[in-house]
Amino acid sequence: MNDQRINSLVKVTSMPPVHGDTDVYLILGDPIEQVLAPEIFNPLFARFGNDALLVPVQVAPQHLHAFVKAAFLAKNIKGMWVTIPHKVSVMEVLDRSSDLAHLAGAVNAIRRNADGTLEGGLFDGEGFVRSLDYFGIPYAGKKILIVGAGGAAAAIGASLVQPRATGCAAEVALFDPTPGKAAEVAARLQLANTARVVALSSSAPEGFDLVVNASPLGLKMSDPLPCDVDRLDPGAALVDIVMKNYPTPVLRAARARGLHAEPGFEMLIQQAHLYMDFFGFHEIAAALRQDTRTIRQQIYPQAMLDESTETGQEFFATP
């Protein structure tokens, strides 16, 4: 990938052309209106000359398995992105998945291989950890509370307990109001044997260095806060991966206390190249590994761009 091609990654607002032999990718969720992936990947397909299109599809949980099996009968449907609430349950229809997906018990991408088998990948957690690096939020050796125990929460927890050069979390705690759900995820993550993983009976944030909202709370402005922000320790950080209604109420409350609080947009940006490699778009992946400024400009809310101007923070730098 030469510098001229990388520098040509400019914001593209038009949809890529659709032909009779266009490769179709779907993003499955319920709800679906909050997803940002089509705004990222369709312009990239067009910019790099790939005859491909990513389309959001709302699928109710009770129809998920039947839909996935039926959709992949179409030869030009090559893969799927997966979002809430399907990341865990969709694993039942896969032939195989990555080791990280097995640990988390969730996937957020499915591809059809040349032999017709369905394979799952998981990138949420890796994107999240990279976003912590981007924002300068430490996690190695820290105590981390994850509110929620769905697919995204499991993915984040799995990546936080993975051994890496920079270290892993010292403790990951999960809370979910559904009885037994957090305990099930905690037991699976503990198999990594690199960090203490526990399930909690409340989302009380005292004693934690980082609190992550990986629950749906915040998708609706009327939702309660995922935790009592007044009880966060001084110096604690908070990340809310809800990418709607920015700034979410919990972000506003944490920032009002002067805490370091960030949304989940960067998590999506930092995993974009992993999606592209998984689906075979290696040229796009190579470009994104070197420069993510274009997609950051595309999906960051205007309020975040205004913040960067006011604070002098360089949001568009590639870490």
Side-chain angles (χ1 to χ4, degrees):
M1 178 64 57
N2 58 46
D3 292 341
Q4 183 178 1
R5 188 59 182 275
I6 294 169
N7 291 335
S8 71
L9 278 170
V10 297
K11 184 174 182 179
V12 178
T13 57
S14 61
M15 290 289 290
V18 180
H19 306 107
D21 56 353
T22 295
D23 288 336
V24 177
Y25 294 81
L26 306 178
I27 178 165
L28 311 182
D30 186 25
I32 198 65
E33 66 270 11
Q34 78 282 358
V35 298
L36 298 174
E39 298 175 36
I40 292 177
F41 296 106
N42 283 329
L44 287 170
F45 292 151
R47 170 58 55 181
F48 283 85
N50 297 111
D51 191 5
L53 182 70
L54 176 60
V55 180
V57 181
Q58 185 167 358
V59 181
Q62 65 268 29
H63 302 311
L64 176 66
H65 293 176
F67 180 87
V68 171
K69 292 176 181 178
F72 273 116
L73 294 176
K75 292 184 178 181
N76 64 324
I77 292 181
K78 298 301 178 67
M80 298 179 182
W81 277 245
V82 185
T83 187
I84 59 171
H86 301 321
K87 296 179 182 181
V88 174
S89 58
V90 79
M91 289 194 72
E92 295 179 21
V93 301
L94 304 182
D95 297 296
R96 58 181 177 270
S97 57
S98 66
D99 291 342
L100 188 60
H102 273 295
L103 177 62
V107 298
N108 64 343
I110 306 169
R111 70 185 177 200
R112 180 173 54 197
N113 295 317
D115 60 1
T117 57
L118 301 182
E119 181 174 352
L122 183 65
F123 314 121
D124 278 336
E126 292 304 286
F128 180 82
V129 170
R130 291 169 186 264
S131 77
L132 295 181
D133 292 333
Y134 179 83
F135 287 123
I137 298 176
Y139 55 87
K142 302 297 184 180
K143 295 181 63 178
I144 300 171
L145 168 64
I146 302 174
V147 181
I156 290 169
S159 288
L160 286 170
V161 302
Q162 289 296 295
R164 59 186 75 233
T166 53
C168 67
E171 177 181 318
V172 172
L174 299 108
F175 166 75
D176 193 282
T178 303
K181 192 172 182 179
E184 179 183 349
V185 175
R188 192 163 55 244
L189 297 184
Q190 189 63 73
L191 296 175
N193 286 321
T194 51
R196 181 172 182 260
V197 186
V198 297
L200 302 181
S201 59
S202 80
S203 61
E206 295 96 331
F208 290 98
D209 303 294
L210 171 62
V211 175
V212 183
N213 178 33
S215 77
L217 294 176
L219 283 175
K220 299 178 181 178
M221 292 300 287
S222 59
D223 287 340
L225 297 185
C227 68
D228 186 346
V229 174
D230 290 336
R231 297 167 65 180
L232 279 161
D233 290 355
L238 182 142
V239 177
D240 184 3
I241 71 167
V242 170
M243 286 178 275
K244 186 180 178 183
N245 300 320
Y246 175 83
T248 59
V250 72
L251 282 178
R252 291 199 304 269
R255 289 178 175 182
R257 285 198 53 203
L259 302 178
H260 190 174
E262 301 288 355
F265 298 100
E266 196 64 33
M267 180 180 79
L268 180 56
I269 292 169
Q270 295 293 337
Q271 63 182 298
H273 70 282
L274 300 175
Y275 271 108
M276 291 293 90
D277 267 332
F278 181 76
F279 288 119
F281 299 102
H282 302 302
E283 185 180 14
I284 298 177
L288 292 177
R289 278 193 292 271
Q290 298 182 59
D291 190 345
T292 54
R293 289 175 294 181
T294 298
I295 56 176
R296 192 169 290 112
Q297 287 178 299
Q298 284 179 268
I299 71 168
Y300 265 40
Q302 186 58 46
M304 291 189 73
L305 306 185
D306 293 342
E307 286 173 15
S308 68
T309 301
E310 293 171 2
T311 64
Q313 183 176 355
E314 180 52 81
F315 273 119
F316 303 124
T318 300

